[in-house]
Amino acid sequence: ILALSGLPEFVDKYHNINWYEANIQAPIRQLLLKHPIVEIQNGNSLTIGETKFPVIELADDETFYALLKAFIPSQIPSQKSLNYWNKCINQQQENWVENSTINLEQFLDTLPNYVNISEEISILNLLKVYDYLTSINSKLGENYPIYLNANKEFKTRDQVTIYPLIDDQIKFVAKQ
């Protein structure tokens, strides 16, 4: 409950906001930041600063959370604690530790670090990232090198050649 240390309703009527942040909010948050209190996917606990929380815009996006879970399970809160922590972290988020949230751009920027191209499950999860970007009409694949080329190197979408499908009749004639 202490983590819900956002500004109270009507704080401007009864208190000075700067006083509240300096004398109430900051000491509570500094105390909380020192302890591993966030349960992550494997049941262990991390400090708030070591955990990546989806930004408020993506906090309810189950597909984005599933992608985070697939690639960085040791850094995101468990499913059962996610809603509570999103509520806490997104109260005056700027007054929590920096880089405690993750947005889609940050995820895509670091994605190649978490893909093991020799594991099929990792490649299948990468395909889910492509599907997700398509489903939200995102062009971010054009800015971040997240697509594997024939040499198994990560490139932007424009740097990867996609060969057109060859008609079965043409394949049959080519074999003759």
Side-chain angles (χ1 to χ4, degrees):
I1 292 180
L2 281 177
L4 287 170
S5 58
L7 295 174
E9 194 174 359
F10 310 118
V11 69
D12 53 336
K13 286 186 177 183
Y14 304 109
H15 300 286
N16 179 298
I17 292 174
N18 294 331
W19 176 89
Y20 180 85
E21 287 176 347
N23 294 293
I24 305 292
Q25 187 180 70
I28 290 172
R29 289 184 176 185
Q30 290 306 313
L31 173 73
L32 295 174
L33 289 172
K34 295 177 185 175
H35 301 283
I37 57 175
V38 181
E39 182 184 346
I40 59 170
Q41 286 300 311
N42 64 9
N44 292 336
S45 296
L46 294 177
T47 64
I48 291 170
E50 296 169 321
T51 309
K52 294 292 183 191
F53 302 94
V55 292
I56 189 75
E57 298 84 19
L58 296 170
D60 295 327
D61 188 331
E62 292 178 15
T63 306
F64 181 68
Y65 179 78
L67 294 173
L68 293 177
K69 185 176 168 182
F71 287 101
I72 55 172
S74 63
Q75 296 178 18
I76 60 167
S78 66
Q79 182 72 45
K80 70 179 184 180
S81 68
L82 178 66
N83 289 335
Y84 173 76
W85 282 110
N86 275 331
K87 192 182 331 175
C88 295
I89 295 300
N90 288 305
Q91 288 184 330
Q92 284 84 38
Q93 192 264 323
E94 66 279 0
N95 293 339
W96 281 106
V97 66
E98 281 188 45
N99 300 321
S100 61
T101 58
I102 186 167
N103 61 31
L104 183 56
E105 290 86 357
Q106 292 166 324
F107 173 65
L108 295 176
D109 189 39
T110 60
L111 182 62
N113 301 331
Y114 299 107
V115 176
N116 183 344
I117 58 174
S118 63
E119 290 183 4
E120 184 179 354
I121 189 70
S122 196
I123 299 300
L124 292 173
N125 286 330
L126 190 57
L127 293 174
K128 290 178 184 177
V129 172
Y130 306 154
D131 290 342
Y132 177 71
L133 292 175
T134 301
S135 74
I136 61 170
N137 281 336
S138 176
K139 303 288 185 204
L140 289 174
E142 297 169 6
N143 301 327
Y144 295 95
I146 60 169
Y147 294 91
L148 285 173
N149 66 9
N151 296 330
K152 298 189 178 188
E153 300 167 328
F154 285 99
K155 302 290 182 181
T156 62
R157 186 180 352 193
D158 295 340
Q159 295 172 321
V160 176
T161 303
I162 301 173
Y163 297 102
L165 294 176
I166 298 173
D167 187 68
D168 288 336
Q169 290 178 344
I170 293 175
K171 289 181 190 177
F172 178 76
V173 170
K175 288 181 183 179
Q176 301 297 325

